[in-house]
Coordinates of all heavy atoms in Angstrom, one line a residue:
S1455 N 22.7 -19.4 -36.3 CA 22.9 -19.7 -34.9 C 21.8 -19.2 -34.0 O 21.1 -18.3 -34.4 CB 24.2 -19.2 -34.5 OG 24.2 -17.8 -34.3
P1456 N 21.6 -19.8 -32.9 CA 20.5 -19.4 -32.0 C 20.6 -17.9 -31.6 O 19.6 -17.2 -31.5 CB 20.6 -20.3 -30.8 CG 21.4 -21.4 -31.2 CD 22.3 -21.0 -32.3
M1457 N 21.8 -17.4 -31.4 CA 21.9 -16.0 -31.0 C 21.5 -15.0 -32.1 O 21.0 -14.0 -31.8 CB 23.4 -15.7 -30.5 CG 23.7 -16.4 -29.2 SD 22.6 -16.1 -27.9 CE 22.9 -14.4 -27.5
A1458 N 21.8 -15.4 -33.3 CA 21.4 -14.5 -34.5 C 19.9 -14.5 -34.6 O 19.3 -13.5 -34.9 CB 22.0 -15.0 -35.7
W1459 N 19.2 -15.7 -34.3 CA 17.8 -15.8 -34.3 C 17.2 -14.9 -33.3 O 16.2 -14.2 -33.5 CB 17.4 -17.2 -34.2 CG 15.9 -17.5 -34.2 CD1 15.1 -17.5 -35.3 CD2 15.0 -17.7 -33.1 NE1 13.8 -17.7 -35.0 CE2 13.7 -17.9 -33.6 CE3 15.3 -17.9 -31.7 CZ2 12.7 -18.2 -32.8 CZ3 14.2 -18.1 -30.9 CH2 12.9 -18.3 -31.4
V1460 N 17.7 -15.0 -32.1 CA 17.2 -14.1 -31.0 C 17.5 -12.6 -31.3 O 16.6 -11.8 -31.0 CB 17.9 -14.5 -29.6 CG1 17.6 -13.5 -28.5 CG2 17.5 -15.9 -29.2
G1461 N 18.6 -12.3 -32.0 CA 18.9 -11.0 -32.4 C 17.8 -10.4 -33.4 O 17.4 -9.3 -33.3
R1462 N 17.4 -11.3 -34.3 CA 16.4 -10.9 -35.3 C 15.1 -10.6 -34.6 O 14.3 -9.8 -35.0 CB 16.3 -11.9 -36.4 CG 17.3 -11.9 -37.4 CD 17.0 -12.7 -38.6 NE 16.8 -14.1 -38.3 CZ 17.8 -15.0 -38.3 NH1 19.1 -14.6 -38.5 NH2 17.6 -16.3 -38.0
L1463 N 14.8 -11.4 -33.6 CA 13.5 -11.2 -32.9 C 13.5 -10.3 -31.7 O 12.4 -10.0 -31.1 CB 13.0 -12.6 -32.4 CG 12.7 -13.7 -33.4 CD1 12.3 -14.9 -32.7 CD2 11.6 -13.2 -34.3
S1464 N 14.7 -9.7 -31.4 CA 14.8 -9.0 -30.1 C 13.9 -7.7 -30.1 O 13.2 -7.5 -29.1 CB 16.2 -8.6 -29.9 OG 16.7 -7.7 -30.9
Y1465 N 13.8 -7.0 -31.2 CA 12.9 -5.8 -31.2 C 11.4 -6.2 -31.1 O 10.7 -5.6 -30.3 CB 13.2 -4.9 -32.4 CG 12.4 -3.7 -32.4 CD1 12.7 -2.7 -31.4 CD2 11.3 -3.4 -33.2 CE1 12.0 -1.5 -31.3 CE2 10.6 -2.2 -33.2 CZ 10.9 -1.3 -32.2 OH 10.2 -0.1 -32.2
A1466 N 11.1 -7.2 -31.8 CA 9.7 -7.7 -31.7 C 9.4 -8.2 -30.2 O 8.3 -8.0 -29.7 CB 9.4 -8.8 -32.7
M1467 N 10.3 -8.9 -29.6 CA 10.1 -9.3 -28.2 C 10.0 -8.1 -27.3 O 9.1 -8.1 -26.4 CB 11.3 -10.2 -27.8 CG 11.2 -11.6 -28.3 SD 12.3 -12.8 -27.5 CE 13.8 -12.4 -28.3
Y1468 N 10.8 -7.1 -27.5 CA 10.7 -5.9 -26.7 C 9.3 -5.3 -26.9 O 8.7 -4.8 -25.9 CB 11.7 -4.9 -27.2 CG 11.5 -3.5 -26.7 CD1 11.7 -3.2 -25.4 CD2 11.1 -2.5 -27.6 CE1 11.5 -1.9 -24.9 CE2 10.8 -1.2 -27.1 CZ 11.1 -0.9 -25.8 OH 10.8 0.4 -25.4
L1469 N 8.7 -5.3 -28.1 CA 7.4 -4.7 -28.3 C 6.2 -5.5 -27.7 O 5.2 -4.9 -27.3 CB 7.1 -4.6 -29.8 CG 8.0 -3.5 -30.5 CD1 7.7 -3.6 -32.0 CD2 7.8 -2.2 -30.0
V1470 N 6.4 -6.8 -27.6 CA 5.2 -7.6 -27.2 C 5.4 -8.2 -25.7 O 4.4 -8.8 -25.2 CB 5.0 -8.8 -28.1 CG1 4.7 -8.3 -29.5 CG2 6.1 -9.8 -28.1
H1471 N 6.5 -8.0 -25.1 CA 6.7 -8.7 -23.8 C 5.7 -8.3 -22.7 O 5.2 -9.1 -21.9 CB 8.1 -8.7 -23.3 CG 8.5 -7.4 -22.7 ND1 8.9 -6.3 -23.4 CD2 8.6 -7.0 -21.4 CE1 9.2 -5.3 -22.6 NE2 9.1 -5.7 -21.3
F1472 N 5.3 -7.0 -22.7 CA 4.3 -6.6 -21.6 C 3.0 -7.2 -21.9 O 2.3 -7.6 -21.0 CB 4.2 -5.1 -21.5 CG 5.3 -4.4 -20.7 CD1 6.2 -3.5 -21.3 CD2 5.5 -4.8 -19.4 CE1 7.2 -2.9 -20.5 CE2 6.6 -4.2 -18.7 CZ 7.4 -3.3 -19.2
Q1473 N 2.6 -7.2 -23.2 CA 1.3 -7.8 -23.5 C 1.3 -9.3 -23.2 O 0.3 -9.9 -22.8 CB 0.9 -7.6 -25.0 CG 0.6 -6.1 -25.3 CD 1.9 -5.3 -25.5 OE1 3.0 -5.8 -25.5 NE2 1.7 -4.0 -25.6
A1474 N 2.4 -10.0 -23.5 CA 2.5 -11.4 -23.2 C 2.4 -11.7 -21.7 O 1.8 -12.6 -21.3 CB 3.8 -12.0 -23.8
I1475 N 3.0 -10.8 -20.9 CA 3.0 -11.0 -19.4 C 1.5 -10.8 -19.0 O 1.0 -11.5 -18.1 CB 3.9 -10.0 -18.7 CG1 5.4 -10.5 -19.0 CG2 3.7 -10.0 -17.2 CD1 6.4 -9.5 -18.6
D1476 N 0.9 -9.8 -19.5 CA -0.5 -9.6 -19.1 C -1.4 -10.7 -19.5 O -2.3 -11.2 -18.7 CB -1.1 -8.3 -19.8 CG -0.5 -7.0 -19.1 OD1 -0.1 -7.1 -18.0 OD2 -0.6 -6.0 -19.7
L1477 N -1.2 -11.3 -20.7 CA -2.0 -12.4 -21.1 C -1.7 -13.6 -20.2 O -2.6 -14.4 -19.8 CB -1.7 -12.8 -22.6 CG -2.3 -14.0 -23.1 CD1 -3.9 -13.9 -23.2 CD2 -1.8 -14.3 -24.5
G1478 N -0.4 -13.8 -19.9 CA 0.0 -15.0 -19.1 C -0.7 -14.8 -17.7 O -1.1 -15.8 -17.1
R1479 N -0.7 -13.6 -17.1 CA -1.3 -13.4 -15.8 C -2.8 -13.7 -15.9 O -3.4 -14.3 -14.9 CB -1.1 -12.0 -15.4 CG 0.2 -11.7 -14.9 CD 0.3 -10.2 -14.4 NE 1.7 -9.9 -14.0 CZ 2.2 -8.7 -14.0 NH1 1.5 -7.7 -14.3 NH2 3.4 -8.5 -13.6
Q1480 N -3.5 -13.3 -16.9 CA -4.9 -13.6 -17.1 C -5.1 -15.1 -17.2 O -6.1 -15.6 -16.7 CB -5.5 -12.9 -18.3 CG -5.6 -11.4 -18.1 CD -6.0 -10.7 -19.4 OE1 -6.4 -11.3 -20.3 NE2 -6.0 -9.4 -19.3
L1481 N -4.2 -15.8 -17.8 CA -4.4 -17.3 -18.0 C -4.1 -18.0 -16.7 O -4.8 -19.0 -16.4 CB -3.5 -17.8 -19.1 CG -3.8 -17.4 -20.5 CD1 -2.7 -17.8 -21.5 CD2 -5.2 -17.9 -21.0
V1482 N -3.1 -17.6 -16.0 CA -2.6 -18.3 -14.8 C -3.3 -18.0 -13.5 O -3.6 -18.8 -12.7 CB -1.1 -18.1 -14.7 CG1 -0.6 -18.8 -13.4 CG2 -0.3 -18.7 -15.8
F1483 N -3.5 -16.7 -13.3 CA -4.0 -16.2 -12.0 C -5.5 -16.1 -11.9 O -6.0 -15.2 -11.3 CB -3.3 -14.9 -11.6 CG -1.8 -15.0 -11.4 CD1 -0.9 -14.4 -12.3 CD2 -1.3 -15.9 -10.5 CE1 0.4 -14.5 -12.1 CE2 0.1 -16.0 -10.3 CZ 0.9 -15.3 -11.1
T1484 N -6.2 -17.0 -12.5 CA -7.7 -17.0 -12.4 C -8.1 -17.5 -11.0 O -9.1 -17.1 -10.5 CB -8.3 -17.9 -13.4 OG1 -7.8 -19.2 -13.4 CG2 -8.1 -17.3 -14.8
Q1485 N -7.3 -18.4 -10.4 CA -7.5 -18.9 -9.0 C -6.3 -18.5 -8.2 O -5.2 -18.6 -8.6 CB -7.6 -20.4 -9.1 CG -8.7 -21.0 -10.0 CD -10.0 -20.8 -9.3 OE1 -10.2 -20.8 -8.1 NE2 -11.0 -20.7 -10.2
P1486 N -6.6 -18.1 -6.9 CA -5.5 -17.7 -6.0 C -4.7 -19.0 -5.7 O -5.2 -20.1 -5.5 CB -6.1 -17.2 -4.8 CG -7.6 -17.1 -5.1 CD -7.9 -17.8 -6.4
R1487 N -3.4 -18.9 -5.7 CA -2.5 -20.0 -5.4 C -1.4 -19.6 -4.4 O -1.0 -18.4 -4.4 CB -1.8 -20.5 -6.7 CG -2.8 -21.0 -7.6 CD -2.1 -21.6 -8.8 NE -3.2 -22.0 -9.8 CZ -3.0 -22.1 -11.0 NH1 -1.9 -21.8 -11.6 NH2 -4.0 -22.5 -11.8
A1488 N -0.9 -20.5 -3.7 CA 0.3 -20.2 -2.8 C 1.5 -20.1 -3.6 O 1.7 -21.0 -4.5 CB 0.4 -21.3 -1.8
P1489 N 2.3 -19.1 -3.4 CA 3.6 -19.0 -4.3 C 4.6 -20.0 -3.9 O 4.9 -20.2 -2.7 CB 4.1 -17.6 -3.9 CG 3.5 -17.2 -2.6 CD 2.2 -18.0 -2.5
T1490 N 5.1 -20.7 -4.9 CA 6.2 -21.7 -4.7 C 7.2 -21.4 -5.7 O 7.0 -20.8 -6.7 CB 5.7 -23.1 -4.8 OG1 5.2 -23.3 -6.1 CG2 4.6 -23.4 -3.8
L1491 N 8.4 -21.9 -5.5 CA 9.5 -21.8 -6.5 C 9.1 -22.4 -7.8 O 9.4 -21.9 -8.9 CB 10.8 -22.3 -5.9 CG 12.0 -22.2 -6.9 CD1 12.3 -20.7 -7.2 CD2 13.2 -22.9 -6.3
T1492 N 8.5 -23.6 -7.7 CA 8.1 -24.3 -8.9 C 7.1 -23.5 -9.8 O 7.2 -23.4 -11.0 CB 7.5 -25.7 -8.6 OG1 8.5 -26.4 -7.8 CG2 7.2 -26.5 -9.8
S1493 N 6.1 -23.0 -9.1 CA 5.1 -22.2 -9.8 C 5.7 -21.0 -10.4 O 5.4 -20.6 -11.5 CB 3.9 -21.9 -8.9 OG 4.3 -21.0 -7.9
F1494 N 6.6 -20.3 -9.7 CA 7.3 -19.1 -10.2 C 8.1 -19.5 -11.5 O 8.0 -18.7 -12.5 CB 8.3 -18.6 -9.1 CG 9.1 -17.4 -9.6 CD1 8.5 -16.2 -9.7 CD2 10.4 -17.6 -10.0 CE1 9.3 -15.1 -10.2 CE2 11.2 -16.6 -10.4 CZ 10.6 -15.3 -10.5
V1495 N 8.8 -20.6 -11.5 CA 9.6 -20.9 -12.6 C 8.7 -21.3 -13.8 O 9.0 -20.9 -15.0 CB 10.6 -22.1 -12.3 CG1 11.2 -22.7 -13.5 CG2 11.6 -21.7 -11.3
L1496 N 7.7 -22.0 -13.6 CA 6.7 -22.4 -14.6 C 6.0 -21.1 -15.2 O 5.9 -21.0 -16.4 CB 5.7 -23.4 -14.1 CG 6.2 -24.8 -13.8 CD1 5.1 -25.6 -13.2 CD2 6.8 -25.4 -15.1
I1497 N 5.6 -20.2 -14.4 CA 5.0 -19.0 -14.8 C 5.9 -18.1 -15.6 O 5.6 -17.6 -16.7 CB 4.4 -18.2 -13.6 CG1 3.2 -19.0 -13.1 CG2 4.0 -16.8 -14.0 CD1 2.7 -18.5 -11.7
Q1498 N 7.2 -18.0 -15.2 CA 8.2 -17.2 -15.9 C 8.4 -17.9 -17.3 O 8.6 -17.2 -18.3 CB 9.5 -17.1 -15.1 CG 9.3 -16.3 -13.9 CD 8.8 -14.9 -14.2 OE1 9.2 -14.2 -15.1 NE2 7.9 -14.4 -13.3
G1499 N 8.5 -19.2 -17.3 CA 8.7 -19.9 -18.6 C 7.5 -19.7 -19.5 O 7.7 -19.5 -20.7
L1500 N 6.3 -19.6 -19.0 CA 5.1 -19.3 -19.8 C 5.2 -17.9 -20.4 O 4.9 -17.7 -21.5 CB 3.8 -19.4 -19.0 CG 2.5 -19.0 -19.6 CD1 2.2 -19.9 -20.8 CD2 1.4 -19.0 -18.7
F1501 N 5.6 -16.9 -19.6 CA 5.8 -15.6 -20.0 C 6.8 -15.5 -21.2 O 6.6 -14.8 -22.2 CB 6.2 -14.6 -18.9 CG 5.2 -14.4 -17.8 CD1 5.5 -13.9 -16.6 CD2 3.8 -14.8 -18.0 CE1 4.6 -13.7 -15.6 CE2 2.9 -14.6 -17.0 CZ 3.3 -14.0 -15.8
V1502 N 7.9 -16.2 -21.0 CA 8.9 -16.2 -22.1 C 8.4 -16.8 -23.3 O 8.6 -16.3 -24.4 CB 10.2 -16.9 -21.6 CG1 11.2 -17.1 -22.7 CG2 10.9 -16.1 -20.5
L1503 N 7.7 -18.0 -23.2 CA 7.1 -18.7 -24.3 C 6.1 -17.8 -25.1 O 6.2 -17.7 -26.3 CB 6.5 -20.0 -23.9 CG 5.9 -20.8 -25.0 CD1 7.0 -21.4 -25.9 CD2 5.1 -21.9 -24.4
L1504 N 5.3 -17.1 -24.3 CA 4.3 -16.2 -25.0 C 5.0 -15.0 -25.7 O 4.6 -14.6 -26.7 CB 3.3 -15.7 -23.9 CG 2.3 -16.7 -23.4 CD1 1.5 -16.1 -22.2 CD2 1.4 -17.1 -24.5
S1505 N 6.0 -14.5 -25.0 CA 6.8 -13.4 -25.6 C 7.5 -13.8 -26.9 O 7.4 -13.1 -27.9 CB 7.8 -12.9 -24.7 OG 7.3 -12.3 -23.5
V1506 N 8.1 -15.0 -26.9 CA 8.8 -15.4 -28.2 C 7.7 -15.7 -29.2 O 7.9 -15.4 -30.4 CB 9.7 -16.7 -27.8 CG1 10.2 -17.3 -29.1 CG2 10.8 -16.2 -26.9
A1507 N 6.6 -16.4 -28.9 CA 5.6 -16.7 -29.9 C 5.0 -15.4 -30.5 O 4.9 -15.3 -31.7 CB 4.5 -17.5 -29.2
G1508 N 4.7 -14.4 -29.7 CA 4.2 -13.2 -30.2 C 5.2 -12.5 -31.0 O 4.9 -11.8 -32.1
A1509 N 6.5 -12.5 -30.7 CA 7.6 -11.9 -31.4 C 7.7 -12.6 -32.8 O 8.0 -11.9 -33.8 CB 8.9 -12.0 -30.7
V1510 N 7.6 -13.9 -32.9 CA 7.7 -14.6 -34.1 C 6.6 -14.2 -35.1 O 6.8 -13.9 -36.2 CB 7.7 -16.1 -33.9 CG1 7.5 -16.9 -35.2 CG2 9.0 -16.6 -33.2
V1511 N 5.4 -14.1 -34.5 CA 4.2 -13.7 -35.3 C 4.4 -12.3 -35.8 O 4.2 -12.0 -37.0 CB 2.9 -13.8 -34.5 CG1 1.7 -13.2 -35.2 CG2 2.6 -15.3 -34.3
L1512 N 4.8 -11.4 -35.0 CA 5.0 -10.0 -35.3 C 6.2 -9.9 -36.4 O 6.0 -9.1 -37.3 CB 5.4 -9.1 -34.1 CG 5.5 -7.7 -34.3 CD1 4.1 -7.1 -34.7 CD2 6.0 -7.0 -33.0
H1513 N 7.2 -10.6 -36.2 CA 8.3 -10.6 -37.2 C 7.9 -11.1 -38.5 O 8.2 -10.5 -39.6 CB 9.5 -11.5 -36.6 CG 10.6 -11.5 -37.5 ND1 11.5 -10.4 -37.7 CD2 11.1 -12.4 -38.4 CE1 12.5 -10.7 -38.5 NE2 12.2 -11.9 -39.0
I1514 N 7.1 -12.1 -38.6 CA 6.7 -12.7 -39.9 C 5.6 -11.8 -40.5 O 5.7 -11.5 -41.7 CB 6.1 -14.1 -39.7 CG1 7.3 -15.1 -39.3 CG2 5.4 -14.6 -40.9 CD1 6.9 -16.4 -38.9
L1515 N 4.7 -11.3 -39.8 CA 3.6 -10.6 -40.4 C 3.9 -9.1 -40.6 O 3.3 -8.5 -41.5 CB 2.3 -10.7 -39.5 CG 1.7 -12.1 -39.4 CD1 0.5 -12.0 -38.5 CD2 1.3 -12.6 -40.7
V1516 N 4.8 -8.5 -39.9 CA 5.0 -7.1 -40.0 C 6.4 -6.7 -40.4 O 6.6 -6.0 -41.4 CB 4.7 -6.3 -38.6 CG1 5.0 -4.9 -38.7 CG2 3.3 -6.5 -38.2
E1517 N 7.4 -7.3 -39.7 CA 8.8 -6.9 -40.0 C 9.3 -7.4 -41.4 O 9.9 -6.6 -42.1 CB 9.8 -7.4 -38.9 CG 9.7 -6.6 -37.6 CD 10.7 -7.0 -36.7 OE1 11.9 -6.9 -37.0 OE2 10.4 -7.4 -35.6
R1518 N 9.1 -8.6 -41.7 CA 9.6 -9.1 -43.0 C 9.0 -8.4 -44.2 O 9.8 -8.0 -45.1 CB 9.2 -10.6 -43.1 CG 10.2 -11.5 -42.4 CD 9.9 -12.9 -42.7 NE 10.7 -13.8 -42.0 CZ 10.6 -15.1 -41.9 NH1 9.6 -15.7 -42.7 NH2 11.4 -15.9 -41.2
P1519 N 7.7 -8.1 -44.3 CA 7.3 -7.3 -45.4 C 7.9 -5.9 -45.5 O 8.3 -5.5 -46.6 CB 5.8 -7.2 -45.2 CG 5.4 -8.4 -44.4 CD 6.6 -8.6 -43.5
F1520 N 8.1 -5.3 -44.4 CA 8.8 -4.0 -44.4 C 10.2 -4.1 -44.8 O 10.8 -3.2 -45.4 CB 8.6 -3.2 -43.1 CG 7.2 -2.5 -43.0 CD1 6.2 -3.1 -42.3 CD2 7.0 -1.3 -43.7 CE1 4.9 -2.5 -42.3 CE2 5.8 -0.7 -43.7 CZ 4.7 -1.3 -42.9
L1521 N 10.9 -5.1 -44.3 CA 12.3 -5.3 -44.7 C 12.4 -5.6 -46.2 O 13.4 -5.1 -46.8 CB 12.9 -6.5 -43.9 CG 13.2 -6.2 -42.4 CD1 13.6 -7.5 -41.7 CD2 14.2 -5.1 -42.2
R1522 N 11.5 -6.3 -46.8 CA 11.5 -6.5 -48.2 C 11.3 -5.1 -49.0 O 11.9 -4.9 -50.0 CB 10.4 -7.5 -48.7 CG 10.9 -8.9 -48.5 CD 9.9 -9.9 -49.1 NE 9.5 -10.8 -48.0 CZ 8.3 -11.0 -47.6 NH1 7.3 -10.4 -48.1 NH2 8.1 -11.9 -46.6
L1523 N 10.4 -4.3 -48.5 CA 10.2 -3.0 -49.1 C 11.5 -2.1 -49.0 O 11.8 -1.4 -49.9 CB 9.1 -2.2 -48.4 CG 7.7 -2.7 -48.7 CD1 6.7 -1.9 -47.9 CD2 7.4 -2.4 -50.2
K1524 N 12.2 -2.2 -47.8 CA 13.4 -1.5 -47.6 C 14.4 -1.9 -48.7 O 15.1 -1.1 -49.3 CB 14.0 -1.7 -46.2 CG 15.3 -1.0 -46.0 CD 15.9 -1.4 -44.7 CE 16.7 -2.6 -44.9 NZ 17.6 -3.0 -43.9
D1525 N 14.5 -3.2 -48.9 CA 15.5 -3.7 -49.9 C 15.1 -3.2 -51.3 O 16.0 -3.0 -52.2 CB 15.6 -5.2 -49.9 CG 16.2 -5.7 -48.6 OD1 16.9 -4.9 -47.9 OD2 16.0 -6.9 -48.2
R1526 N 13.8 -3.1 -51.6 CA 13.4 -2.7 -52.9 C 13.7 -1.2 -53.2 O 14.0 -0.9 -54.3 CB 11.9 -2.9 -53.0 CG 11.3 -2.7 -54.4 CD 9.9 -2.9 -54.6 NE 9.6 -4.3 -54.2 CZ 8.4 -4.8 -54.1 NH1 7.3 -4.0 -54.3 NH2 8.2 -6.1 -53.8
F1527 N 13.5 -0.4 -52.2 CA 13.7 1.0 -52.4 C 15.1 1.5 -52.0 O 15.4 2.7 -52.2 CB 12.7 1.8 -51.5 CG 11.3 1.6 -52.0 CD1 10.3 1.0 -51.3 CD2 10.9 2.1 -53.3 CE1 9.1 0.8 -51.8 CE2 9.6 2.0 -53.8 CZ 8.7 1.3 -53.0
A1528 N 16.0 0.7 -51.5 CA 17.3 1.1 -51.1 C 18.2 1.3 -52.3 O 18.1 0.9 -53.4 CB 17.9 0.1 -50.1

């Protein structure tokens, strides 16, 4: 289910969300813009997308191998 998937990624999202926000700010705020509700929603969506993408990469490359090791030595 979607909630179980978010639960598996939650710690990785916690670890990468500040870096994702910083990356998103560097990508979006290269030019000064007037703040609008639409731009706010789009920027927040970009931050969430970057956080989830980073969490998926971290989960696959780091967490899964360590979880396999845990199962082997448990």
